[in-house]
Amino acid sequence: MNTVGIIGAMDLEIRLLKDKMSLSKKESIAGFNYYLGRIQGKDVVIACCSVGKVNAASCTQILIDKFNIDCIINTGIAGSLHNEVKICDVVISKNVTYHDVTKNQMKNFFPFKEYFEGDKKLIELAIKACEKYKLDNWNYHIGRIVSGERFISDSKMKKSIIEEYSPYCVEMEGAAIGHVAYINNVPFVVIRGISDNADDEAYTNYDIFEKISAEHSANIVLNMMKII
């Protein structure tokens, strides 16, 4: 594998990775920052896409077009939508989809997919990285991650999303990144540290746990770079 693309929505989510990389160049394209360098001897391009699906999709397409990457790892934080997924746990994407786009639209219009599958080799690599980094106070899970254009902090909406999609967690970028990766035939995986339970207390818990959860996810990516 020649060059790994790594995307985070916020600087908080890529800060640890930037600190650990040997930076050779920074480029700004269409308002997005791309950091070129090496981590653990591997060529990487780290991108900050900002929040939301359109930003994530735009940043991902530029990453693919301009930097000749071989795969994409999306790192960041999310809200739990599964009873077994606790705050500070990690979710690895089995697949990704949108919770605010109908299944009929996904299925009947290009690219005719209800969800986008994470790459099996990258999932296996993420699992190995979790096992290497794992501490006793958190667990990792492999499951569906859903994305949409809002921070979920409403228990009724949370229940509705769970009933419709049976996801493990919810965030705002992963499905768009997976979507663009799929139509470009680029392998991807989404990794999310859990900062909150996507319920009525979500904002309070997010403020407390966002940094810890972001660093859990980033540390898994760092370990992936060691064993890739």
Side-chain angles (χ1 to χ4, degrees):
M1 193 169 289
N2 296 320
T3 304
V4 178
I6 302 170
I7 303 176
M10 301 177 291
D11 185 69
L12 171 75
E13 295 169 327
I14 60 171
R15 189 177 300 152
L16 180 62
L17 294 162
K18 286 165 57 184
D19 289 345
K20 297 293 184 180
M21 82 182 299
S22 174
L23 179 67
S24 60
K25 187 178 182 182
K26 174 185 172 182
E27 292 190 28
S28 295
I29 304 173
F32 302 113
N33 291 324
Y34 297 86
Y35 304 88
L36 289 68
R38 294 173 71 82
I39 296 177
Q40 298 292 335
K42 312 301 190 306
D43 289 327
V44 300
V45 181
I46 300 175
C48 190
C49 70
S50 191
V51 172
K53 297 183 299 184
V54 175
N55 282 329
S58 301
C59 181
T60 303
Q61 190 63 59
I62 293 169
L63 182 66
I64 293 168
D65 289 342
K66 298 291 186 180
F67 298 103
N68 195 34
I69 51 129
D70 297 288
C71 68
I72 294 172
I73 302 170
N74 175 213
T75 182
I77 53 184
S80 172
L81 292 181
H82 193 286
N83 288 336
E84 293 181 5
V85 178
K86 309 302 183 185
I87 291 176
C88 293
D89 280 2
V90 168
V91 176
I92 302 165
S93 63
K94 180 179 180 181
N95 59 62
V96 295
T97 192
Y98 307 106
H99 66 76
D100 56 358
V101 180
T102 66
K103 291 180 180 179
N104 280 339
Q105 180 177 334
M106 295 286 288
K107 183 171 61 176
N108 295 325
F109 296 91
F110 179 83
F112 310 105
K113 296 279 290 182
E114 287 187 37
Y115 53 85
F116 306 99
E117 295 280 359
D119 180 72
K120 290 182 179 180
K121 289 182 180 179
L122 289 175
I123 292 171
E124 290 171 3
L125 194 66
I127 291 170
K128 289 178 182 178
C130 283
E131 292 289 351
K132 186 178 180 67
Y133 175 61
K134 186 179 182 304
L135 302 174
D136 290 338
N137 60 347
W138 63 271
N139 294 306
Y140 68 88
H141 313 265
I142 299 93
R144 171 170 290 174
I145 296 175
V146 293
S147 307
E149 289 295 342
R150 64 175 294 176
F151 181 83
I152 303 302
S153 59
D154 179 282
S155 295
K156 287 180 66 177
M157 178 166 285
K158 174 181 178 176
K159 182 181 178 182
S160 175
I161 295 171
I162 291 171
E163 289 174 350
E164 182 74 12
Y165 295 99
S166 301
Y168 276 52
C169 66
V170 60
E171 35 82 298
M172 298 176 69
E173 298 84 26
I177 292 168
H179 186 151
V180 174
Y182 171 79
I183 64 176
N184 285 275
N185 198 31
V186 175
F188 80 92
V189 69
V190 178
I191 300 169
R192 286 287 187 267
I194 300 301
S195 61
D196 59 85
N197 289 314
D199 56 13
D200 298 330
E201 298 178 358
Y203 280 106
T204 300
N205 287 325
Y206 178 91
D207 289 341
I208 296 169
F209 294 106
E210 60 173 338
K211 185 175 185 292
I212 297 169
S213 300
E215 289 186 353
H216 278 182
S217 182
N219 270 307
I220 290 163
V221 177
L222 287 174
N223 276 311
M224 291 175 73
M225 294 299 102
K226 292 178 184 178
I227 59 180
I228 203 164

